[in-house]
Amino acid sequence: MVVGASAAGLAAAEGLRLNGFDGPLTLVGGERHPPYDRPPLSKLLLQDGWQPDRLELRSAAALRALELDLRLGRWASGLDTGRRELLLDTGERLRYRALVIATGSTPRLIPGARAATGTHTLRTVDDALALRETLRSSKGAGRLVIVGSGFIGNEVAAAAAESGVEVTLLGRSGLPLADVLGDEIGSLLAESHRDHGVRLHSGAPARRVLTGNGRTSGVELQDGSTLPADAVLIAAGAVPAVGWLAGSGIPTGDGVHCDATLRAGPDVWAAGDVAGWTHPRTGLRTRIGHRTNAAEQGLAVARNILAAPGAAEPFDPVPYVWSDLYDLRIQIHGRTRDAEQIRIVEGGTGDRKLVALCRANGRVSGVIGINLPRPTRNHRALVVRRTPWDEALAGSATPAVRATTA
């Protein structure tokens, strides 16, 4: 049984079938939509002309071929590991032999976020359609404040600005994604935003959403100042959806706590945004909220469920994430957040094309690419091998490299 009709949940179900499991297979999803792709929610779906059916991960025929007991519109409400039963909000109790938790995450809110028309989060396709309608009505007249300058905040800022909406992006730093990309590359993103009219606001964090006559009117900051707004997007991170596991005995905290094979308990596994495990390559407790990881983990869980006793394999990926902002295609392999050092080894910010390496503990921990997909992919091997930093720089194709700290 798989709980969560997400990319990770669908990958686990497909992986079980691909690896020979032909028994009963139930896929439970809280939304009424069949499994769909989430990255376009903050990008393409916000644009005119895109329809939700283009997000579907598999056709209706492909889903039928999996012979799933597909239960959509049903939320998990509890888990009884002793009786091996999943409890649903409908009152149903479903028996399982093995269970995959793929319930993802929910947006982190600030006070007032639920109280007013015009305040949005962005996690589901329905969220995206509601935000798109707000952006359409705001073109040329509305003010959108985005609370949070992570990937989602940056992507929505770009999409909204290109649609003619006045955008303020509120983040901890005036350099977007500087904790992931470093100051130099973060400056490139900041320049791109300003070129498109986006106002970057940093300093005091958001305290609460303000309302007037039942509608969003702005965001109050911790220093008492106010950012006026006709619409607000809360993009201040996400919380793993684990509340329904209270009392189950499954260890949780920042996600479901799994061993290196993604096993969380007797015949219980986890995949996707909700899964936290000790990465065998780095030794770090890891939870990754990106699309590629979700699919890879779902397939890995399927293989390990069906593995012979003692034959389950540790999940050992090189994480990958991409983002499109205006004319910038950003690609990241490995771990870059809070890197000790970031060096551009090919191209440069002036060209808006570059490859940069990230250092952690004296080795290459990640690679960042802007508009250079093939060279970026070629440098991925340095991350796979955990190449010593000095050795990686000595072998660089670019003799002059520039340093920046993240």
Side-chain angles (χ1 to χ4, degrees):
M1 181 179 299
V2 181
V3 189
S6 56
L10 178 61
E14 290 183 323
L16 288 166
R17 292 302 193 211
L18 287 170
N19 286 279
F21 178 70
D22 59 2
L25 182 54
T26 301
L27 178 61
V28 178
E31 296 181 65
R32 296 190 179 278
H33 306 285
Y36 61 87
D37 212 12
R38 295 187 189 273
L41 299 182
S42 56
K43 306 168 190 165
L44 297 171
L45 192 62
L46 297 181
Q47 302 172 359
D48 291 333
W50 256 74
Q51 297 303 320
D53 57 2
R54 298 179 68 177
L55 303 178
E56 292 179 356
L57 287 171
R58 298 293 181 270
S59 67
L63 288 176
R64 286 195 299 271
L66 292 174
E67 297 183 348
L68 300 174
D69 178 4
L70 189 58
R71 310 239 183 158
L72 299 177
R74 293 172 171 86
W75 295 96
S77 61
L79 182 65
D80 186 334
T81 53
R83 298 172 64 104
R84 294 177 180 256
E85 288 183 339
L86 173 70
L87 285 61
L88 302 183
D89 62 346
T90 58
E92 297 170 273
R93 302 177 71 96
L94 305 180
R95 297 273 296 174
Y96 67 85
R97 289 170 52 194
L99 184 80
V100 180
I101 300 170
T103 46
S105 57
T106 59
R108 182 179 286 112
L109 300 178
I110 63 173
R114 294 189 183 279
T117 300
T119 296
H120 299 267
T121 57
L122 187 54
R123 179 63 187 169
T124 70
V125 64
D126 293 326
D127 292 339
L129 293 174
L131 178 59
R132 183 171 75 177
E133 186 58 34
T134 295
L135 296 180
R136 283 175 175 172
S137 64
S138 299
K139 287 181 182 179
R143 299 162 297 178
L144 171 67
V145 172
I146 300 173
V147 179
S149 59
F151 282 104
I152 289 178
N154 276 275
E155 289 166 358
V156 173
E162 290 184 313
S163 298
V165 177
E166 181 183 326
V167 180
T168 297
L169 182 60
L170 175 61
R172 297 179 182 177
S173 167
L175 300 178
L177 295 173
D179 60 333
V180 177
L181 304 177
D183 290 351
E184 189 170 4
I185 302 176
S187 295
L188 172 59
L189 267 62
E191 178 184 343
S192 296
H193 277 310
R194 285 191 287 264
D195 287 347
H196 287 81
V198 175
R199 178 189 176 198
L200 302 176
H201 191 98
S202 61
R207 173 182 290 162
R208 63 188 177 112
V209 175
L210 299 175
T211 62
N213 297 320
R215 289 197 59 84
T216 298
S217 62
V219 176
E220 181 183 314
L221 307 184
Q222 293 287 357
D223 62 5
S225 62
T226 298
L227 297 176
D230 302 294
V232 171
L233 172 67
I234 307 299
V239 179
V242 296
W244 63 280
L245 291 168
S248 68
I250 297 299
T252 62
D254 181 26
V256 175
H257 293 178
C258 304
D259 65 16
T261 69
L262 302 173
R263 181 178 177 272
D267 295 314
V268 177
W269 310 74
D273 296 15
V274 77
W277 86 108
T278 301
H279 196 298
R281 187 183 305 274
T282 66
L284 299 174
R285 190 75 187 169
T286 303
R287 188 175 66 82
I288 300 174
H290 295 303
R291 169 68 173 82
T292 305
N293 177 76
E296 291 178 348
Q297 278 190 326
L299 292 172
V301 162
R303 291 192 297 269
N304 284 342
I305 288 174
L306 299 176
E313 296 183 354
F315 183 62
D316 184 19
V318 174
Y320 173 71
V321 61
W322 79 96
S323 183
D324 293 316
L325 300 175
Y326 310 112
D327 61 343
L328 304 177
R329 164 56 67 98
I330 303 167
Q331 295 175 291
I332 300 173
H333 297 275
R335 185 181 179 88
T336 69
R337 188 178 298 276
D338 299 320
E340 298 162 2
Q341 191 175 27
I342 298 176
R343 285 200 177 191
I344 296 175
V345 297
E346 188 167 341
T349 56
D351 302 327
R352 303 173 76 84
K353 295 181 179 181
L354 61 88
V355 178
L357 300 181
C358 304
R359 176 173 66 86
N361 299 317
R363 296 181 180 274
V364 176
S365 60
V367 57
I368 301 166
I370 306 286
N371 291 339
L372 287 177
R374 183 173 296 177
T376 301
R377 174 72 183 182
N378 291 342
H379 282 80
R380 178 183 181 276
L382 299 176
V383 182
V384 174
R385 295 196 299 265
R386 301 187 68 242
T387 304
W389 184 250
D390 292 341
E391 178 184 325
L393 296 186
S396 171
T398 304
V401 293
R402 291 163 291 164
T404 182
T405 54

